[in-house]
Amino acid sequence: MFTYDIALLPGDGIGPEIMDATLLVLDGLAAGIPELSFNYETYLIGADHYLKTKELLPEYAVAGCKAAHAILLSAVGIPEVRFEDGTEIQPQIMIGLRKELDLYAAVRPVKLYPGVKSPLGNTGPGIDMVVVRENTEGLFASFNGGAVVNNQAIADTMIITRRGSERVIDFAFRLARRRSGRPSDGKRRVTCVDKANIFRSLAFFRKIFDEVAVKYPEIGTERGYVDAMTVHMLQRPWDYDVMVMENMFGDILSDLGAGLVGGLGLGPSAEIGDDYMLFQPSHGSAPDIAGQGIANPMALILSAAMMLDSLGDKYDDALAARSGKLLDDSVAEVLAKGEGLTPDLGGAASTDELANTVLAAVRQRINQGV
Ligand code: ATP
């Protein structure tokens, strides 16, 4: 039996509601699988906590995250809670955490679940790709730094390093190895997304991609310019498996991807480093619907499924990986049936009701020995 220590960051807005819903499902999963258990520790960081304490990212919370096997975060930040210069506190917390934990690969699955409508008329053999975004450098490297010239000019510099690129590109290839290829023909493929025709920094990124690719001869490769990629993702998304790119490009393409498969309410994500890993939904804290009991918990539940899969990979624990798949399949089943969904998905169920529907699907699969 393996007990995983999970640091919980429920955050702001709908964060605590969707965290409760997700824990209901996770606890139900662990109750049905005696060899799997979780030990939770909760840390209150976010806009609410900042208002009460003026603490942004307290040391004890960072230490607790570092001591855990994984971190599960709901959503941090409320737009009205800002510093005196007018900027939001959310980026300070998230970028601070990313830097502290050196979470260099942001992973955003773009998967169209049966029963979910895509704005694309034609989804061909399906959509199931992953955007891997470099998460520590690129155009975000000089965050809060950069050159400021007498209130006349400001520069944010694109920083591409060999180490930063090698490790995220290598991560993308290892991820492709664990997946079952692109929907169009099942071939494993990593696509390097850049603008290597214009920028020396991104030509360097592509050069490193070519060097790393040599280590993975069994995985196909492709290179594309980011502008063209926005069109290909709309016209033939089924041709993509794993895509890897610089930080800002990843920020944009992962939201485009979310739009292709039903929006942010269904988008999980992971931020992975060599020592730590954090899982969170793609959406924000949705303060407009907080406290109403109607938030959709699916993105956090799917993030928990990714967490189990990653724990399985990191600790060589096949049962954790299988449990992650069971959870993902249970969500897929609920979406395909299309009953008991929250208002954003066209239903009338509450957050708790949807969590219980997913829990019932999980229990059924466990009972059937799936
Ligand atoms: P951030 O900048 O913090 O990522 P955002 O500006 O993208 O946030 P969100 O908080 O994600 O904004 O909310 C955008 C819209 O989507 C809001 O109308 C919100 O109510 C809705 N929304 C977001 N997440 C959910 C959810 N889990 N369930 C239902 N509606 C949601």
Side-chain angles (χ1 to χ4, degrees):
M1 158 137 165
F2 204 100
T3 300
Y4 289 108
D5 295 323
I6 312 294
L8 303 177
L9 308 178
D12 300 304
I14 59 170
E17 301 165 45
I18 58 172
M19 184 63 86
D20 286 347
T22 301
L23 295 183
L24 180 89
V25 176
L26 268 186
D27 285 341
L29 180 74
I33 303 176
E35 301 84 2
L36 183 71
S37 74
F38 306 109
N39 183 19
Y40 306 120
E41 208 60 64
T42 299
Y43 300 96
L44 300 177
I45 61 167
D48 263 352
H49 186 71
Y50 175 75
L51 281 181
K52 285 180 196 139
T53 63
K54 290 287 170 240
E55 280 182 340
L56 268 181
L57 198 52
E59 267 177 35
Y60 62 84
V62 174
C65 288
K66 287 184 174 175
H69 292 102
I71 304 151
L72 194 59
L73 181 152
S74 295
V76 163
I78 294 175
E80 293 75 45
V81 181
R82 291 173 185 249
F83 297 117
E84 275 178 14
D85 66 1
T87 59
E88 276 190 54
I89 67 156
Q90 188 265 6
Q92 290 284 352
I93 296 178
M94 287 312 299
I95 294 176
L97 204 54
R98 230 164 256 162
K99 284 195 170 153
E100 271 288 336
L101 305 178
D102 200 18
L103 303 172
Y104 60 78
V107 185
R108 184 85 80 85
V110 177
K111 178 169 164 180
L112 183 64
Y113 287 92
V116 177
K117 261 214 172 104
S118 166
L120 296 182
N122 173 15
T123 53
I127 303 176
D128 188 355
M129 63 180 122
V130 182
V131 174
V132 177
R133 162 187 178 187
E134 200 295 320
N135 209 28
T136 58
E137 50 183 48
L139 203 48
F140 286 66
S142 59
F143 176 70
N144 263 359
V148 178
V149 184
N150 289 337
N151 207 23
Q152 295 301 314
I154 297 192
D156 286 314
T157 315
M158 171 84 86
I159 305 284
I160 302 287
T161 68
R162 171 169 283 282
R163 174 173 173 266
S165 305
E166 272 173 0
R167 61 185 187 174
V168 75
I169 293 166
D170 197 72
F171 176 90
F173 277 95
R174 280 184 281 123
L175 178 65
R177 202 154 59 183
R178 297 183 60 229
R179 287 171 46 86
S180 42
R182 58 184 189 176
S184 55
D185 57 11
K187 287 193 176 140
R188 294 190 169 87
R189 176 172 297 242
V190 180
T191 305
C192 177
V193 180
D194 55 49
K195 194 74 183 162
N197 52 339
I198 306 283
F199 296 104
R200 283 187 300 176
S201 54
L202 296 168
F204 183 53
F205 187 81
R206 184 180 284 203
K207 177 172 175 283
I208 296 171
F209 176 85
D210 291 341
E211 289 172 13
V212 174
V214 173
K215 286 198 316 183
Y216 299 91
E218 76 283 14
I219 295 173
T221 60
E222 190 186 14
R223 293 132 194 91
Y225 300 134
V226 64
D227 45 339
M229 202 53 67
T230 59
V231 178
H232 297 324
M233 280 174 72
L234 296 184
Q235 291 182 337
R236 46 184 184 86
W238 45 85
D239 276 343
Y240 294 97
D241 178 13
V242 175
M243 299 197 262
V244 63
M245 63 204 77
E246 177 275 327
N247 207 334
M248 183 67 168
F249 290 170
D251 191 21
I252 297 167
L253 286 202
S254 51
D255 268 19
L256 174 66
L260 291 180
V261 294
L264 296 174
L266 290 176
S269 81
E271 299 193 27
I272 311 268
D274 287 332
D275 299 319
Y276 310 110
M277 32 191 206
L278 179 148
F279 301 82
Q280 64 175 331
S282 307
H283 60 72
S285 61
D288 54 328
I289 57 163
Q292 298 176 29
I294 55 166
N296 173 6
M298 293 296 222
L300 187 59
I301 295 174
L302 287 170
S303 302
M306 274 181 96
M307 177 179 82
L308 287 167
D309 179 65
S310 300
L311 287 169
D313 183 41
K314 185 166 180 176
Y315 297 101
D316 209 9
D317 179 354
L319 186 70
R322 273 211 310 281
S323 307
K325 180 160 179 359
L326 187 149
L327 188 50
D328 192 89
D329 289 346
S330 304
V331 168
E333 184 187 314
V334 171
L335 290 169
K337 281 190 184 150
E339 288 163 14
L341 303 178
T342 43
D344 60 304
L345 296 173
S350 68
T351 308
D352 288 350
E353 283 165 349
L354 179 49
N356 275 297
T357 304
V358 175
L359 178 60
V362 164
R363 285 193 175 131
Q364 199 178 22
R365 281 174 180 268
I366 293 173
N367 289 340
Q368 288 166 350
V370 178

